[in-house]
């Protein structure tokens, strides 16, 4: 079983491979990306709809285009990156990160995702 530094190294390697993959394959033209089941069934966009396309454009430095596809994902990406880095550092140093694991943080993220979903489907 993986422990400590091995987990961090495997996760960083997997993230690096995933980012190279997303950089090279445009979701708007590649047909192997899965469709959103929620959108297919309801016609509404879930909080993650457009995130793959947004990531592709972020990796190419096209921030405005990324925001057009999923502003929540673009604005929340730095938070996820910082949280991931803090968790990786804690695992590497065999410490516990208590800030990220607070229940109110999880509930806040859920609230923001639901709010984003409602807002983006209002079609103002």
């Amino acid at each position: 079983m993986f422990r400590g530094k091995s987990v961090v190294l495997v996760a960083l390697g997997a993230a690096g491979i995933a980012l190279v993959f997303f950089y090279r394959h445009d979701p708007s033209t590649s047909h192997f990306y899965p469709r959103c089941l929620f959108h297919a069934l309801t016609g509404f966009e879930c909080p993650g709809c457009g995130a793959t396309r947004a990531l592709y454009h972020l990796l190419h430095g096209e921030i405005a285009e990324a925001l057009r596809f999923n502003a929540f994902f673009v604005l929340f990406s730095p938070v996820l990156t910082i949280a991931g880095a803090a968790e990786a550092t804690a695992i590497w140093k065999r410490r516990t990160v208590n800030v990220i694991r607070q229940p109110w943080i999880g509930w806040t993220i859920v609230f923001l995702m639901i709010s984003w979903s409602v807002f983006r489907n209002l079609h103002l």
Side-chain angles (χ1 to χ4, degrees):
M1 179 162 216
F2 290 111
R3 299 195 122 188
K5 294 181 181 183
S6 298
V7 171
V8 174
L9 293 174
V10 169
L12 286 173
I17 290 168
L19 289 174
V20 168
F21 178 84
F22 284 117
Y23 182 85
R24 299 202 57 194
H25 300 282
D26 184 354
S28 298
T29 59
S30 301
H31 299 289
F32 54 82
Y33 289 102
R35 299 268 183 227
C36 177
L37 183 60
F38 181 80
H39 186 272
L41 293 174
T42 66
F44 294 111
E45 293 182 335
C46 76
C49 280
T52 308
R53 290 171 286 173
L55 176 60
Y56 175 83
H57 290 287
L58 272 179
L59 292 173
H60 285 86
E62 301 164 351
I63 309 253
E65 192 68 10
L67 285 166
R68 189 174 73 78
F69 282 111
N70 191 323
F72 181 79
F73 175 79
V74 173
L75 297 174
F76 201 66
S77 291
V79 174
L80 291 175
T81 303
I82 291 167
E87 188 69 28
T89 302
I91 291 170
W92 190 270
K93 294 181 177 182
R94 298 181 190 265
R95 295 185 184 150
T96 303
V97 178
N98 291 326
V99 177
I100 300 170
R101 297 181 185 173
Q102 296 296 320
W104 69 269
I105 292 176
W107 286 111
T108 302
I109 292 168
V110 168
F111 173 78
L112 290 171
M113 288 177 68
I114 291 170
S115 299
W116 167 245
S117 246
V118 170
F119 176 76
R120 78 185 310 198
N121 285 297
L122 287 177
H123 302 291
L124 298 174

